[in-house]
Amino acid sequence: AALAARGFSQEQARRLLALQPRLGPEHREAAAAQLLLLGLSAEASLALLERSPALLRLPAERLRERAEELRRLGLDGGR
């Protein structure tokens, strides 16, 4: 339900929840949320996490810091 509220389809949510099965779903949702805050679409966020699943193992705070740095460098609105 939380992923649907963020714009993920059921299929996208299923794919996201299948990544890094040892991690709790809240960890995957937090990672996806940071990518969405960068302006990426749900599909682009999912594709990035599928290509780089190591991002899901980062602590949420570290991922937030990296996302903030990308925004400072001009990556915003999906650009």
Side-chain angles (χ1 to χ4, degrees):
L3 291 171
R6 295 184 185 277
F8 286 88
S9 69
Q10 285 185 340
E11 173 61 20
Q12 291 169 330
R14 184 194 61 72
R15 287 169 44 205
L16 178 60
L17 293 175
L19 295 173
Q20 299 289 324
R22 291 184 181 175
L23 297 175
E26 64 280 347
H27 199 80
R28 290 181 290 254
E29 291 171 15
Q34 288 302 318
L35 296 173
L36 293 172
L37 288 173
L38 284 173
L40 298 176
S41 67
E43 184 60 35
S45 298
L46 177 59
L48 178 60
L49 292 171
E50 287 176 329
R51 280 192 311 269
S52 302
L55 290 172
L56 292 170
R57 291 190 301 270
L58 289 175
E61 179 62 23
R62 183 69 179 125
L63 189 56
R64 186 187 59 74
E65 290 170 359
R66 287 185 175 190
E68 287 177 2
E69 182 63 23
L70 288 172
R71 280 191 288 277
R72 277 193 293 274
L73 293 172
L75 180 66
D76 195 17
R79 293 180 284 123

